[in-house]
Amino acid sequence: MEEKRSSHEYNTYARNLHDCEVRIQTEKSYHGIRHCIVETYRTEKVPGFFRGVSMTIVMASFISSFSFGVYKNFLYNICRLRYGSADRKPSKVDISFAGCATGAVRVVLLAPAEIAKVRLQIQKEPHHLMASTHLLASKPKYHGAVHCLRMIIKEEGLGGLYKGSLALLCRDCHSFATYFLTYSALCDWLTPAGKDKPDLWAVLLSGGCAGVLGWGAATPMDVIKSRMQADGEGQRKYAGLMHCARESIKEEGVRVLFKGLGLNSVRAFPTNMMIFFTYEAVMRLGERLAK
């Protein structure tokens, strides 16, 4: 429960930044983080920064806890099968494989939440129109996350909920392998000789760095995923993952794959510091209670 509360608080902060990140990745009109923030506030005021937040906040804590549980179970079974004992220290390959498998399993739960978030965040609802008496003329297509999911199913079928899921799979598999491997390697390096666990300051630093490197690995596929999920609005532009990547690079150059990287890094460091800090604190408490 403590892990869920901590994840909830920091994911609220992270998702506000994530709104800008999605817009930067999917639209050419923004020239950077500052320009996106200024334009969003100018046209939509404060509510513009909270589009699609309800679904992701509700799901974020659950998916975060689910991911760590899946990772620990994969690691437990890998060690048991390879070494005959779950108590053996896993190798870096074991950690990478468990992280990759965790990323793959997450897609089933995450894809519907991601597409609802993207569609809501790219939906424009200018502030002056919101206050207008001509409400029907400016009525937004989606009225919330649940309504958004219902509309996607109605217009695109159940498969619409998993649009961009191949890009999401590619994103999460290698980014979670990088994420858990980085955390493990840094913790090992920062653990003093004679101790079997890192100090909590080392957990904070390792967790923050793991978040930044994980998102660094994820950003190119995150851009493709966001563009494919946003592609349901209006005329479809992309025929698939490779077509989306080719067209995006052709129109905007290779640097398009790294749109939002700075914003991802800014939110990833403090968020993952606290996620791993809480995770380690809960795990250590559990070990003490089990003795």
Side-chain angles (χ1 to χ4, degrees):
M1 291 300 295
E2 288 298 321
E3 182 181 349
K4 287 189 177 183
R5 278 199 293 270
S6 176
S7 296
H8 175 90
E9 291 167 6
Y10 279 85
N11 273 297
T12 302
Y13 147 77
R15 295 301 166 183
N16 296 341
L17 293 178
H18 199 52
D19 179 82
C20 290
E21 177 227 319
V22 169
R23 293 185 181 208
I24 289 169
Q25 289 179 345
T26 57
E27 300 177 36
K28 300 178 186 177
S29 57
Y30 300 117
H31 309 307
I33 298 170
R34 184 177 178 277
H35 183 242
C36 180
I37 291 171
V38 170
E39 283 300 301
T40 300
Y41 181 77
R42 185 178 68 81
T43 58
E44 301 173 64
K45 302 304 180 187
V46 174
F49 296 101
F50 291 88
R51 302 212 184 286
V53 169
S54 61
M55 172 69 79
T56 46
I57 286 179
V58 169
M59 292 293 290
S61 296
F62 171 71
I63 290 175
S64 179
S65 299
F66 174 80
S67 299
F68 275 86
V70 169
Y71 170 72
K72 289 298 289 185
N73 275 284
F74 269 121
L75 208 54
Y76 173 89
N77 285 292
I78 288 169
C79 290
R80 191 167 56 83
L81 290 171
R82 285 195 67 187
Y83 311 117
S85 172
D87 296 327
R88 282 284 299 272
K89 184 176 180 179
S91 69
K92 301 304 183 220
V93 173
D94 299 333
I95 291 166
S96 298
F97 183 79
C100 183
T102 301
V105 172
R106 276 168 48 97
V107 172
V108 178
L109 294 175
L110 194 59
E114 285 280 309
I115 195 165
K117 176 198 70 180
V118 169
R119 296 282 178 92
L120 285 165
Q121 287 175 348
I122 63 170
Q123 176 174 262
K124 293 298 194 317
E125 191 177 341
H127 183 70
H128 68 278
L129 289 179
M130 288 168 63
S132 172
T133 55
H134 304 293
L135 196 58
L136 290 175
S138 61
K139 191 176 180 181
K141 181 177 181 179
Y142 305 123
H143 308 303
V146 175
H147 181 256
C148 179
L149 292 174
R150 285 207 311 265
M151 289 295 291
I152 291 170
I153 292 170
K154 181 180 177 181
E155 295 174 357
E156 304 172 46
L158 284 172
L161 297 180
Y162 288 88
K163 189 168 188 179
S165 58
L166 181 58
L168 183 60
L169 180 68
C170 294
R171 184 196 79 174
D172 281 5
C173 281
H174 77 277
S175 67
F176 267 79
T178 303
Y179 181 64
F180 285 112
L181 180 61
T182 301
Y183 176 73
S184 176
L186 285 175
C187 280
D188 286 348
W189 184 51
L190 295 171
T191 300
K195 283 191 173 184
D196 62 345
K197 291 186 183 296
D199 295 328
L200 289 179
W201 70 266
V203 169
L204 287 168
L205 180 60
S206 301
C209 291
V212 171
L213 289 176
W215 269 108
T219 296
M221 273 299 163
D222 192 49
V223 173
I224 303 303
K225 184 270 305 176
S226 294
R227 291 187 170 212
M228 290 181 70
Q229 290 180 330
D231 199 34
E233 297 300 285
Q235 187 176 358
R236 284 189 170 80
K237 183 177 180 181
Y238 305 119
L241 190 153
M242 293 306 297
H243 182 246
C244 179
R246 281 199 309 270
E247 288 298 306
S248 297
I249 293 170
K250 182 180 176 181
E251 292 175 9
E252 300 174 61
V254 176
R255 66 181 182 179
V256 70
L257 299 178
F258 298 94
K259 275 190 167 186
L261 177 58
L263 206 53
N264 281 335
S265 299
V266 167
R267 67 187 177 86
F269 194 89
T271 301
N272 288 283
M273 277 176 64
M274 294 310 301
I275 285 173
F276 274 107
F277 178 84
T278 307
Y279 169 73
E280 287 288 348
V282 170
M283 291 295 292
R284 294 180 191 191
L285 177 62
E287 288 174 6
R288 287 196 193 98
L289 293 175
K291 288 179 180 177

